[in-house]
Amino acid sequence: MPQLHIFQDNPSFVRGAADFIDAHAAQAIAARGCFTLALAGGGTPKPIYARLATAEYRTRTDWTRAQIFFGDERCVPPDDARSNYRMAREAWFGPAALPAATIHRLRGEDDPARAALAYEQELAQLFRTQTFPAFDLILLGMGDNGHTASLFPGTAALRATTRWVVPQYVEVMQTWRVTFTAPLINAARSVAFLVEGAPKAQMVWNVLRGIYQPDVLPAQMIQPLNGELHWLVDAAAAEKIR
Ligand code: 6PG
């Protein structure tokens, strides 16, 4: 069962999510000397990352012990306005002066299939494993059509069983993406959805309370095998499940 964290308004959602991430970092660093984190893209996480860049969090956690990846990326150059890397760099990495060695950018400017393979190799190198690596924390958003990362309804990426990272042409968006697969996400120690706003309330209900139809609602595929599943939502997005 997912652990639901409902925050009354946007400021407390942003603060609560930043504290949640920070707590996971402290726990992982204390236990294993390192914190492996995969970021969500899109717009929701931007103020959360910006909060993590403030002095309060910079001094609280030794971010030099983090290894930060991206759960998905748009197939655009890193300075493109659509780039998830650019969003995170502007909100967090730059203002917090995070060391470049802790950031593992997914090369959206490369051929999608090649970028996916290269990212898998980078993961295998860092985690020193050939089985699905277990991230300490994977952050996810959810689109209003029930997609998560770049796992979109009806796409081949939903059927990946052995791949860790795959390219996917997203017809509905007329664009290529590269994304973590559901099996990789489900290998994590902890997965947290970050969802806010009234427009997503029905989809939150569909995913959490509706019939199980993962090909239509890919967010339903996220069921960590041995890890924790968290949903961090504001009251507006939680309206229909309260
Ligand atoms: C992306 C994301 C995607 C996003 C959702 C929600 O690259 O766009 O990874 O899965 O999290 O579409 O996006 P918003 O937070 O902007 O609503």
Side-chain angles (χ1 to χ4, degrees), residues 41-45 72 74 84 141-143 147-149 177 200:
T44 301
D72 75 320
R74 291 84 178 276
N84 288 332
M142 185 195 72
H147 83 261
T148 189
R177 297 279 189 97
K200 294 194 180 166

Side-chain angles (χ1 to χ4, degrees), residues 3-232:
Q3 296 179 50
L4 206 48
H5 311 253
I6 300 176
F7 300 94
Q8 282 319 305
D9 53 30
N10 182 268
S12 58
F13 169 75
V14 171
R15 186 170 56 249
D19 289 347
F20 176 91
I21 297 163
D22 193 56
H24 271 72
Q27 182 192 33
I29 291 167
R32 290 176 293 280
C34 174
F35 175 47
T36 52
L37 171 66
L39 299 183
T44 301
K46 188 165 184 176
I48 299 166
Y49 300 159
R51 186 172 176 86
L52 287 168
T54 60
E56 178 188 347
Y57 294 84
R58 271 206 316 275
T59 49
R60 218 157 53 176
T61 297
D62 177 5
W63 287 99
T64 63
R65 291 175 172 267
Q67 294 294 328
I68 302 174
F69 288 80
F70 290 80
D72 75 320
E73 184 56 281
R74 291 84 178 276
C75 293
V76 295
D79 287 323
D80 188 293
R82 294 163 293 174
S83 164
N84 288 332
Y85 166 78
R86 174 175 163 178
M87 179 272 284
R89 186 192 65 206
E90 290 177 347
W92 186 7
F93 307 159
L98 291 193
T102 65
I103 310 301
H104 300 267
R105 182 174 71 83
L106 207 167
R107 292 178 56 88
E109 68 274 31
D110 289 350
D111 165 75
R114 190 174 307 137
L117 282 170
Y119 218 44
E120 286 179 324
Q121 286 157 7
E122 193 165 348
L123 284 164
Q125 253 173 0
L126 181 96
F127 283 90
R128 292 197 290 273
T129 179
Q130 294 305 314
T131 58
F132 286 107
F135 274 85
D136 291 309
L137 178 59
I138 295 180
L139 301 175
L140 295 172
M142 185 195 72
D144 53 14
N145 65 347
H147 83 261
T148 189
S150 286
L151 298 170
F152 282 80
T155 59
L158 304 186
R159 289 186 288 285
T161 53
T162 55
R163 292 294 302 272
W164 300 0
V165 183
V166 294
Q168 177 64 58
Y169 184 73
V170 183
E171 196 70 44
V172 69
M173 304 187 79
Q174 300 278 302
T175 182
W176 277 95
R177 297 279 189 97
V178 176
T179 185
F180 277 14
T181 61
L184 174 58
I185 297 169
N186 286 331
R189 290 190 173 88
S190 190
V191 179
F193 279 91
L194 308 171
V195 184
E196 55 123 14
K200 294 194 180 166
Q202 182 59 56
M203 191 48 73
V204 168
W205 186 92
N206 294 351
V207 169
L208 291 178
R209 301 281 191 274
I211 59 169
Y212 183 68
Q213 43 181 341
D215 199 56
V216 177
L217 303 173
Q220 290 183 328
M221 298 180 75
I222 307 308
Q223 307 284 344
L225 291 179
N226 301 308
E228 300 172 355
L229 177 59
H230 297 265
W231 279 71
L232 281 69

